[in-house]
Amino acid sequence: KRFREPKEERRPWRIWFYDTSKQAIGALFIHFANVFLSDLTEEDPCSLYLINFILDATLGMLLIWLGVNVVSWVVQRQKYTYLVFGEYG
């Protein structure tokens, strides 16, 4: 994925690694949480896993989007320059 970014806008390796490892850790966490939750029910574990995944991919993304927008608004309003999303100094 890194090589598909325009060469003049490409992130340094360290920042690219931080971004991708954060996504991988989140994916692993939600996967193991879904597996654990699917074992707690008498229902078909695969269907519960699918429901949890769909809720995470829709409602979870909506909540993250709202959170990022709220934090971005606060950062811009309070002029917290060190907390701007995507700016790594």
Side-chain angles (χ1 to χ4, degrees):
K1 180 179 176 185
R2 183 177 188 277
F3 295 110
R4 297 189 57 89
E5 296 174 349
K7 205 168 203 169
E8 59 277 352
E9 297 175 18
R10 198 172 289 166
R11 298 168 286 179
W13 279 105
R14 188 179 79 186
I15 292 175
W16 178 85
F17 174 75
Y18 289 155
D19 287 344
T20 56
S21 63
K22 158 178 67 174
Q23 293 170 1
I25 290 169
L28 280 172
F29 176 78
I30 198 65
H31 170 72
F32 286 115
N34 280 334
V35 169
F36 174 74
L37 289 173
S38 67
D39 280 342
L40 296 179
T41 182
E42 300 281 326
E43 302 293 323
D44 178 25
C46 291
S47 62
L48 185 61
Y49 184 97
L50 179 63
I51 290 169
N52 285 335
F53 178 78
I54 290 173
L55 282 173
D56 178 54
T58 55
L59 186 60
M61 288 303 297
L62 177 64
L63 290 174
I64 290 170
W65 178 79
L66 284 172
V68 166
N69 282 330
V70 167
V71 170
S72 294
W73 180 80
V74 170
V75 164
Q76 185 178 14
R77 187 166 173 88
Q78 297 296 324
K79 297 184 179 17
Y80 295 143
T81 57
Y82 291 114
L83 297 177
V84 175
F85 284 106
E87 295 293 326
Y88 300 105

